[in-house]
């Protein structure tokens, strides 16, 4: 259950902590992208899941949790499989369009797919119809993305898969929520990394077995291997914050942290600050605020 009040030092600390989580996600995308540039999309995805699985296995062994204590429906494990698709999409777009554009397009995919789920009450969710009141928020988000893409090179495939990564993240999150409720946070993460690793290995061997040749060398930076661990940390931090801060504020703060940290990372990597990205980010944040504010005021329809 959500804590009834958060006062004192926590009132200031929690929003800052949530912003940091958003920034951490952008750093994770950069780390995973760096690994991809050296090993290729599919081999990097396998390595990301191996690191994450080792980390979460150590945790459940220390906590003496038992992943096979319950028999669960096969549909509960789809989150890990879909999560592999999200990872492949994200790392596949890295280096082809800016990190800011990847983040923005992913957020657009998440927003629109979430609205579709709400509209029809899919996956057992409460039905929340799309109304004209939500259109201004969507317009600002779209306008912000347009500004971000206007000044950068346009590559159709990375744009499409970045958008699709947002859709798959929402689907994966939906299945993972059911799994986590049935098994607990770390056991569900163990299942996600396990099923994800198997799926990633199959994709590697079927689609791009030639990437295995890259194992003969290692990346020039050790931190390129930490993406899987960062993914686990991100999930854990989110679970800590989500019970202590209203969903409305958490959504906006995560969005702000991720968008503007992406802008800073892009500026560092390119050597110059992109004012268009900053303006586009502000438009997207305005749209996101309008969107979640409208949702918070609109009564749901069972």
């Amino acid at each position: 259950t959500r804590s009834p009040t958060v006062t004192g030092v926590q009132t200031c600390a929690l929003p800052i902590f949530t912003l940091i989580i958003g920034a951490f996600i952008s750093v994770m995308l950069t780390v995973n992208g760096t690994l991809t540039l050296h090993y290729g999309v599919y081999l990097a995805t396998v390595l990301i899941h191996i690191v994450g699985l080792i980390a979460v296995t150590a945790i459940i062994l220390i906590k003496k949790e038992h992943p096979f204590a319950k028999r669960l429906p096969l549909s509960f494990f789809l989150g890990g499989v879909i999560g592999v698709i999200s990872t492949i999409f994200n790392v596949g777009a890295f280096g082809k369009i800016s990190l800011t554009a990847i983040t923005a397009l992913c957020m657009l995919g998440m927003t629109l797919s979430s609205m579709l789920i709400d509209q029809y009450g899919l996956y057992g969710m409460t039905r929340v119809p799309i109304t004209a009141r939500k259109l201004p928020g969507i317009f600002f988000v779209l306008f912000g993305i347009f500004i971000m893409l206007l000044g950068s090179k346009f590559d159709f495939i990375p744009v499409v898969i970045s958008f699709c990564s947002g859709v798959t993240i929402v689907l994966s999150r939906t299945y993972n929520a059911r799994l986590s409720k049935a098994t607990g946070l770390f056991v569900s993460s163990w299942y996600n990394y396990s099923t994800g690793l198997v799926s990633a290995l199959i994709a590697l061997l079927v689609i791009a077995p030639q990437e295995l040749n890259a194992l003969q060398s290692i990346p020039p930076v050790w931190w390129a291997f930490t993406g899987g661990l960062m993914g686990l940390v991100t999930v854990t931090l989110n679970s800590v914050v989500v019970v202590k801060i209203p969903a409305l504020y958490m959504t906006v703060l995560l969005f702000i942290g991720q968008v503007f940290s992406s802008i800073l990372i892009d500026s560092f990597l390119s050597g110059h600050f992109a004012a268009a990205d900053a303006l586009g980010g502000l438009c997207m944040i305005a749209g996101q605020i309008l969107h979640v504010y409208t949702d918070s005021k609109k009564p749901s329809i069972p």
Side-chain angles (χ1 to χ4, degrees):
T1 57
R2 191 179 299 279
S3 301
T5 57
V6 180
T7 58
V9 176
Q10 287 183 318
T11 303
C12 298
L14 284 175
I16 296 174
F17 192 55
T18 308
L19 287 171
I20 292 173
I21 294 174
F24 196 74
I25 294 172
S26 294
V27 174
M28 180 182 67
L29 291 176
T30 304
V31 170
N32 288 342
T34 302
L35 193 67
T36 302
L37 294 177
H38 187 84
Y39 284 125
V41 172
Y42 298 97
L43 179 55
T45 302
V46 169
L47 294 173
I48 290 166
H49 280 80
I50 288 176
V51 173
L53 181 59
I54 292 173
V56 74
T57 299
I59 292 173
I60 64 173
L61 287 175
I62 293 172
K63 292 174 65 67
K64 297 181 179 180
E65 296 185 358
H66 304 285
F68 305 107
K70 297 181 180 179
R71 298 184 64 180
L72 301 168
L74 290 177
S75 61
F76 276 39
F77 305 110
L78 287 175
V81 178
I82 299 174
V84 169
I85 300 174
S86 301
T87 303
I88 289 174
F89 283 163
N90 276 324
V91 298
F94 186 84
K96 299 177 178 65
I97 57 176
S98 69
L99 179 63
T100 306
I102 293 173
T103 300
L105 289 162
C106 179
M107 288 292 182
L108 176 62
M110 292 175 66
T111 300
L112 295 183
S113 56
S114 296
M115 290 175 65
L116 183 63
I117 291 173
D118 289 344
Q119 171 69 21
Y120 296 103
L122 303 177
Y123 303 103
M125 299 294 184
T126 302
R127 183 169 173 255
V128 184
I130 300 173
T131 64
R133 297 175 60 187
K134 296 183 178 181
L135 295 180
I138 298 174
F139 170 79
F140 272 101
V141 172
L142 290 173
F143 184 65
I145 293 175
F146 174 77
I147 292 175
M148 289 178 175
L149 295 177
L150 191 62
S152 61
K153 62 178 182 179
F154 184 86
D155 197 334
F156 180 75
I157 292 179
V159 167
V160 171
I161 63 175
S162 294
F163 171 82
C164 290
S165 71
V167 177
T168 56
I169 285 171
V170 170
L171 294 177
S172 177
R173 185 174 61 192
T174 302
Y175 284 108
N176 288 342
R178 296 179 181 181
L179 182 61
S180 181
K181 185 176 180 180
T183 64
L185 173 63
F186 292 112
V187 171
S188 65
S189 295
W190 186 88
Y191 275 121
N192 284 328
Y193 277 107
S194 297
T195 55
L197 177 57
V198 172
S199 302
L201 278 170
I202 293 173
L204 169 65
L205 296 176
V206 172
I207 301 174
Q210 69 278 4
E211 290 185 359
L212 289 170
N213 296 328
L215 288 174
Q216 299 174 7
S217 61
I218 60 173
V221 286
W222 63 268
W223 47 259
F225 290 98
T226 62
L229 179 60
M230 288 185 176
L232 179 61
V233 172
T234 300
V235 171
T236 305
L237 293 179
N238 268 304
S239 68
V240 172
V241 174
V242 74
V243 297
K244 296 181 180 180
I245 189 170
L248 169 66
Y249 302 126
M250 183 171 179
T251 300
V252 174
L253 289 169
L254 282 172
F255 189 84
I256 293 173
Q258 193 169 347
V259 168
F260 280 100
S261 60
S262 296
I263 292 173
L264 291 175
I265 292 172
D266 277 334
S267 299
F268 175 78
L269 294 177
S270 65
H272 70 276
F273 179 77
D277 283 350
L279 178 59
L282 288 172
C283 289
M284 288 193 67
I285 289 169
Q288 189 73 0
I289 291 173
L290 282 173
H291 174 69
V292 295
Y293 179 78
T294 301
D295 270 354
S296 70
K297 295 298 181 181
K298 183 67 177 179
S300 61
I301 297 177

